[in-house]
Amino acid sequence: MMGGMSGFRMADHLRKDLKNEVPIIFLTARDTENDLLTGFSAGADDYIAKPFSLHEVLVRVKAVLRRSPTTETNVQELRAGNIVMDFARKVICIGHENIRLSPKEFGILSLLMRHPGRVLSREEILSQVWRGESYVLDRTVDVHIARIRRKMGAEGARLSNRQGYGYCFE
């Protein structure tokens, strides 16, 4: 019911052109079983028929994003100055020294390095790295950042704290 092209046809084109790289969720007034089956056959990751609540849409989007591979996970390494983050070996190298981080430390550092200059709140870091695990206090992020800084030595200063906002990789 879009102008020029149906949503089913657009989803089919996106799947062929982008090879499953983009999650597709149908938000539609078409609510028959046949429409739903056609949507999934066209490559939809989810299908939401009206009426729906904003809360339902947000929960479904988060679920689709959790299940979807991202181009970021296909990256083998990230580089920033002397720092090389090796995703295959799960280590960071500073100069010629390998530094081992815990899985959570590695997750925090990779999140910050993928968004250089952007301040991420503790809540954003918790939701991305802990992904809904049992209740974790936001101060846990502070403890992990302190450990990462200590392990990174002088390069640890690149993890800056913006008082009242969160953390940033410079």
Side-chain angles (χ1 to χ4, degrees), residues 25-122:
I25 301 174
F26 277 88
L27 299 175
T28 181
R30 301 181 76 165
D31 62 353
T32 68
E33 181 181 15
N34 189 43
D35 292 327
L36 180 128
L37 295 174
T38 303
F40 279 112
S41 295
D45 293 291
D46 202 348
Y47 191 99
I48 307 171
K50 289 181 181 177
F52 49 79
S53 71
L54 182 58
H55 182 72
E56 177 186 3
V57 172
L58 290 173
V59 168
R60 286 175 175 247
V61 166
K62 286 179 182 179
V64 167
L65 290 175
R66 264 195 319 269
R67 294 189 306 259
S68 299
T70 64
T71 56
E72 292 171 350
T73 59
N74 296 330
V75 172
Q76 294 299 312
E77 65 181 35
L78 282 175
R79 291 180 179 269
N82 290 335
I83 304 169
V84 178
M85 180 166 255
D86 185 334
F87 288 94
R89 296 185 313 136
K90 302 293 187 216
V91 297
I92 62 168
C93 301
I94 298 178
H96 297 291
E97 181 184 355
N98 287 342
I99 298 169
R100 299 200 183 281
L101 300 175
S102 73
K104 297 299 184 197
E105 292 166 350
F106 193 85
I108 291 169
L109 185 58
S110 68
L111 177 64
L112 292 171
M113 283 182 68
R114 284 192 315 254
H115 304 286
R118 180 173 165 219
V119 177
L120 297 169
S121 70
R122 289 179 183 94

